[in-house]
Amino acid sequence: MIRDLKEVTRDALTPERLTTIARTEHALYETKEAELAALLPSEFTQDLEFEVDYGEPDELVIADFRTFDGNLTSATKGGRQTARGEIQPLGRNYVLDEKTLLKAQRDTTDALNAKAENLVREATRAIAATMDVLRGQAIADGKIQLQMLNAGTEEIDFGRKTEFTTTAPKLWTDDTSDPLEYMASLVDLYREENHKKPELVWIPEQVARKLLRHPVVIKQARFNQNAFVVAMTDASMGRINESTLAATMAGMFDLPEVRITPVKKYRQNNLSNGKVEVKNLLPLDSIIFTSKEGKADTPGSSALGKTLWGQTMSSQMSGFTHYSGGFEHESDLPGIVAGVIEHGNWKNLEVQADALALPVVFRPNLTLKAKVV
């Protein structure tokens, strides 16, 4: 019998089994590979919408997005502003065409199952990588840009102060610039807004190496060591080591702990022009001040915000939701889900992983970015 509609197959690879594989892979990625999960840890929720309050300091291969209204709307309440938005759907699917299915059937069913399981892992990693890319956008820019298939780009702005995205008056490639004094001025700006200084500063490795050889920084380091500094040429001053730089930053300027910005590049399809763009997780020309990290596997452990995961509509398709012994399976709960979809002509099987997720910055002014090179 020819069937015109897509259906979830339960013949061999049930959604329960594939969802368990997907969520295990997701948990491993978050704790072992995701660079920024500790700043915006994952939390699972039944809610579709989120709300962000801001305006006053508080003391306390990637996947493609599908079309879904995610614009923030704002309402002012006294001195505060509330922004509301919705968690976004995204997914990754791989179609096993007739030729692939026939070849797999000539091998073994186990081979077909193994291929589908590996595709679920690959799709899950694509979704998880997307979340880390979006975390990077949220931390660096205070906003997220979502490329929607067949619907252009949607922007979600968390409302960071415009002064918290800035550029050094003298880039640090200029030997007359004063990098540490400039960083101290940013700490003062951060403290004025948040009533506390930032706990981390993310510095790209090549920028950190520049500081070790910067003549102004070297003179400050020698002074901090109570050394007698005479007029020396740049060549004779040479460089300082990392421990000397750290001692100068903390001792003379009361700067926060340094984290080296991860160098992790990703490819992204630009849906507006069809080109593939290569980007880094965080900008390599800027420093970023943030609050301290939480724990990637502990929801609510970061003051900055969360990565929210909701329950997808796909998990409610006929044949997907399944109860065993009166208990819900995890595929009935928020988070990544996976399954094999049969197309009506029986010639194609579609291995699909699906999610409803979005990093959300609840305290956008706990991040400050400055371009320095």
Side-chain angles (χ1 to χ4, degrees):
M1 182 177 67
I2 301 297
R3 292 181 287 185
D4 296 324
L5 299 177
K6 293 181 180 180
E7 290 188 6
V8 178
T9 177
R10 305 187 62 84
D11 292 341
L13 293 172
T14 66
E16 291 86 357
R17 178 178 173 183
L18 291 180
T19 295
T20 297
I21 291 171
R23 295 194 180 186
T24 300
E25 188 72 21
H26 178 223
L28 286 172
Y29 189 95
E30 290 280 275
T31 55
K32 302 295 184 182
E33 296 186 52
E35 300 283 355
L36 304 174
L39 279 170
L40 293 167
S42 291
E43 182 168 313
F44 302 93
T45 177
Q46 295 287 357
D47 293 330
L48 180 64
E49 295 184 343
F50 63 85
E51 183 173 286
V52 182
D53 286 334
Y54 58 90
E56 294 177 358
D58 192 328
E59 291 296 310
L60 307 174
V61 177
I62 64 176
D64 294 319
F65 280 87
R66 297 180 280 108
T67 305
F68 199 83
D69 184 10
N71 284 329
L72 280 176
T73 57
S74 297
T76 301
K77 301 177 181 178
R80 298 182 65 82
Q81 191 171 8
T82 299
R84 298 180 180 85
E86 294 174 325
I87 310 174
Q88 299 297 301
L90 72 160
R92 200 66 168 170
N93 67 295
Y94 301 91
V95 175
L96 302 179
D97 59 19
E98 186 175 12
K99 180 180 178 180
T100 303
L101 291 173
L102 287 173
K103 183 179 183 303
Q105 288 171 0
R106 284 197 302 269
D107 296 335
T108 63
T109 302
D110 288 342
L112 178 60
N113 290 350
K115 183 175 181 61
E117 289 176 1
N118 287 336
L119 289 175
V120 165
R121 292 186 179 94
E122 186 176 336
T124 298
R125 291 173 63 81
I127 292 172
T130 300
M131 286 301 105
D132 223 29
V133 168
L134 293 181
R135 288 177 180 127
Q137 289 184 20
I139 292 163
D141 303 324
K143 57 187 175 183
I144 287 173
Q145 287 192 334
L146 304 176
Q147 290 193 98
M148 302 289 190
L149 289 171
N150 304 317
T153 300
E154 297 282 351
E155 184 174 279
I156 299 178
D157 193 330
F158 297 111
R160 188 167 74 189
K161 294 181 67 172
T162 56
E163 305 96 300
F164 278 39
T165 304
T166 188
T167 301
K170 278 188 179 182
L171 296 180
W172 295 357
T173 47
D174 185 338
D175 285 348
T176 65
S177 63
D178 192 340
L180 302 190
E181 190 64 50
Y182 176 63
M183 291 173 69
S185 71
L186 295 179
V187 168
D188 290 340
L189 180 65
Y190 188 104
R191 183 186 284 116
E192 182 180 354
E193 171 66 24
N194 296 296
H195 298 175
K196 62 180 181 181
K197 78 173 197 177
E199 292 161 298
L200 298 174
V201 57
W202 298 77
I203 303 179
E205 186 172 4
Q206 62 266 41
V207 175
R209 287 200 301 267
K210 173 63 181 174
L211 290 178
L212 298 178
R213 294 180 173 85
H214 197 289
V216 174
V217 175
I218 291 173
K219 288 181 180 179
Q220 291 164 336
R222 302 297 185 221
F223 181 83
N224 188 56
Q225 292 176 320
N226 296 317
F228 180 69
V229 181
V230 296
M232 295 182 292
T233 64
D234 291 350
S236 67
M237 286 195 295
R239 70 190 298 275
I240 56 176
N241 59 36
E242 294 177 1
S243 60
T244 300
L245 175 62
T248 305
M249 290 177 64
M252 284 188 71
F253 295 93
D254 193 27
L255 296 175
E257 180 182 351
V258 173
R259 285 279 194 278
I260 296 298
T261 300
V263 179
K264 192 169 188 178
K265 297 189 180 299
Y266 65 93
R267 295 178 181 272
Q268 182 178 46
N269 295 323
N270 188 319
L271 300 181
S272 62
N273 59 25
K275 296 181 179 179
V276 177
E277 299 173 344
V278 179
K279 299 181 179 180
N280 197 61
L281 196 62
L282 288 174
L284 297 179
D285 62 356
S286 303
I287 60 172
I288 302 174
F289 292 94
T290 69
S291 54
K292 67 180 179 180
E293 297 166 296
K295 293 184 178 180
D297 57 355
T298 305
S301 59
S302 171
L304 185 58
K306 306 173 180 178
T307 301
L308 298 176
W309 298 80
Q311 183 176 9
T312 68
M313 286 295 294
S314 57
S315 68
Q316 301 173 45
M317 289 175 61
S318 175
F320 207 116
T321 303
H322 181 67
Y323 295 89
S324 177
F327 294 98
E328 288 183 315
H329 185 266
E330 61 182 329
S331 60
D332 302 308
L333 302 174
I336 295 177
V337 294
V340 176
I341 310 298
E342 287 180 350
H343 289 255
N345 59 14
W346 287 88
K347 293 182 179 179
N348 292 332
L349 289 179
E350 181 180 333
V351 180
Q352 175 179 300
D354 206 14
L356 193 67
L358 192 74
V360 179
V361 177
F362 290 109
R363 294 167 171 170
N365 293 325
L366 287 182
T367 64
L368 186 157
K369 182 185 77 171
K371 174 179 168 62
V372 295
V373 297

